[in-house]
Amino acid sequence: MTVSALRALPAWMALEKHYRQIKDLHLRQLFAEDGNRGERLAVQAAGFYLDYSKNRITDETLTLLLQLASEAGLRGHIDAMFRGDRINVSENRSVLHVALRTPRGAVVMHDGQNVVPEVHAVLDKMAAFADRLRSGAWRGHTGKRIRNVINIGIGGSDLGPVMAYEALRHYSAREMVFRFVSNVDGTDFAEAVHGLDPAETLFIVSSKTFTTLETMTNAHTARDWLLAGLNGAQAAIARHFVAVSTNAQEVARFGIDTANMFGFWDWVGGRYSMDSAIGLSTMLAVGPDNFRAMLAGFHEMDEHFRTAPFERNLPVLMGLLSVWYTDFFGAQTVAVLPYDQYLKRFPAYLQQLTMESNGKHVTWDGATVDYDTGPIYWGEPGTNGQHSFYQLIHQGTRLIPCDFIAFARTLNPLGRHHDMLLANVFAQAEALAFGKTEEQVKAEGTPGWLVPHRLFEGNRPSSTLLLDSLTPATLGKLVALYEHSVFTQGTIWRIDSFDQWGVELGKALAQRILPELESSVQPELDHDSSTNELIRRYRKLKGG
Ligand code: F6P
């Protein structure tokens, strides 16, 4: 039986052997044997502090994982991305989201052309628009000031903007309302416009392709809603709709003046686009200066990723730890647990970033993998998760590596709240790692029959990111950190982290089913018996 190129690497084979040797080693023992482990297995870089000492690794594990990165060609692949090579092989595209945050005057080449001037031209256009809108110089059709901004988009054209708006709400124009519509479920639109005056509302239609069914359906509904509220005045569209897209033709066809279109490029993947014009809603909320500060944060992490040696490289270390748990311990998921309420949408954002990127079962040359790829990312902000699913992480039967994210300084100092919050995050990581032994439980006077229930075996791994405070720059760095961790994992697994063919089949089938639901006569159904019956029942129930 032939094994894949990855599993044939000397470092991979050495890791398999090493895993068998250390899989039962307890974090209690690792810490007992090395009084400095907590300081030693930590990296301070790009203004971030990552403590990865509570992971089930030894120095040898690290050496082997770093060897794996080098044998898998990570250095060359990083260089290829930054150079603009077409590393998105299945779509034959470059992957240059890093160009979106390069400073003015830098050079990033794509097909023989420096893209940095175009990137800054769009940023300048966005900033000019943001200044006009925020100052009240840009008015609605009836002369009223725009107070409400609604972003219509889905996937990468929604999750980044929503997450960033929530994350940076502290810095946002509080007198304005920002809402986001993504779902084709009409409820999403209906609730988003509830109570709003069309004369004061601006829609940003965000879609890389400008053909996405959900977004175009919502955009048409928005146009109808606006026209209904403004006596059908077609001229109002130009004052109340702007577009963010790579597809000028479709934008014009929709009726949006392309002068009010903010472009980006096919070398920006949807889930890597929150720092492109897709971030227009973010810029309108926090202003151009804060948006640029966020881009500077992204860039700082990009440079760290590009230049730091792998043993001190935050995204590389995080990516390698994920490979370690996914492929050797058989972990299925990673929990991301931000101890900051402003990051409440961060796990949802990460789900697209990580799972649309690395949810792949073939390598970039089309061979089926014989190892696991992208884990499931999930999470909730602390401390809410503690009163929900942490029970399973502490005492369940699954191994769930956790990423804790905490900030030393809160943006809302209120009595003892922040110390309490941080006490909880440190306590959780400690409890997961060290647990509570039978002796400890008994020493507390616990009756014998209750001891197994109150036992915490520990040895549950986590990493903790302790950051300074949640600023636009910190957010940029944090997102770039995960982007490059995803890249690191995808490179090791030899998969294309930048395509998303897996979403196509469902889309095509929905297009086929829609007319069957809408038809006024009983349609001929030739799906499987389950789908046929569901369609029949739905038609009957809705009274068709
Ligand atoms: O879910 C598939 C997908 O193509 C995502 O990758 C993308 O972010 C989303 O749809 C939205 O696409 P668009 O920006 O073209 O509307």
Side-chain angles (χ1 to χ4, degrees), residues 401-415:
C402 299
D403 287 355
F404 291 106
I405 303 171
F407 294 88
R409 285 185 292 130
T410 175
L411 297 170
N412 295 296
L414 274 180

Side-chain angles (χ1 to χ4, degrees), residues 22 24-35 37 53-57 394 429-441 454-461:
I22 72 139
D24 297 321
L25 206 55
H26 202 289
L27 282 164
R28 280 183 208 128
Q29 188 183 335
L30 289 169
F31 273 86
E33 285 171 3
D34 175 4
R37 184 179 167 94
S53 62
K54 294 193 186 82
N55 282 289
R56 290 171 66 172
I57 53 171
H394 282 287
E430 187 177 13
L432 286 170
F434 302 104
K436 202 189 237 187
T437 62
E438 200 175 326
E439 295 69 50
Q440 288 170 314
V441 178
R454 300 192 58 171
L455 194 87
F456 288 72
E457 32 174 46
N459 217 15
R460 298 179 184 227

Side-chain angles (χ1 to χ4, degrees), residues 3 103 110 176 187 233 307 324 377 385 424 426 445 456 518 541:
V3 297
H110 176 255
M176 291 177 71
T187 299
T307 60
W324 175 232
Y377 277 75
N424 272 279
F426 298 149
F456 288 72
E518 290 179 333
L541 285 169

Side-chain angles (χ1 to χ4, degrees), residues 234-282:
Q234 292 288 334
I237 308 250
R239 307 301 301 166
H240 293 267
F241 276 85
V242 298
V244 179
S245 187
T246 56
N247 190 345
Q249 215 179 337
E250 284 299 320
V251 169
R253 221 154 69 96
F254 179 85
I256 297 176
D257 184 349
T258 46
N260 298 330
M261 169 180 156
F262 301 86
F264 61 116
W265 306 270
D266 72 358
W267 39 261
V268 182
R271 54 194 175 274
Y272 296 87
S273 67
M274 60 167 276
D275 47 342
S276 70
I278 289 291
L280 182 62
S281 59
T282 314

Side-chain angles (χ1 to χ4, degrees), residues 154-157 207-210 212 215 270-271 352 356 500 503:
I154 197 163
S157 302
S207 174
K208 182 175 167 182
T209 54
F210 230 73
T212 305
T215 301
R271 54 194 175 274
Q352 188 199 15
E356 204 171 71
Q500 56 285 317
V503 298

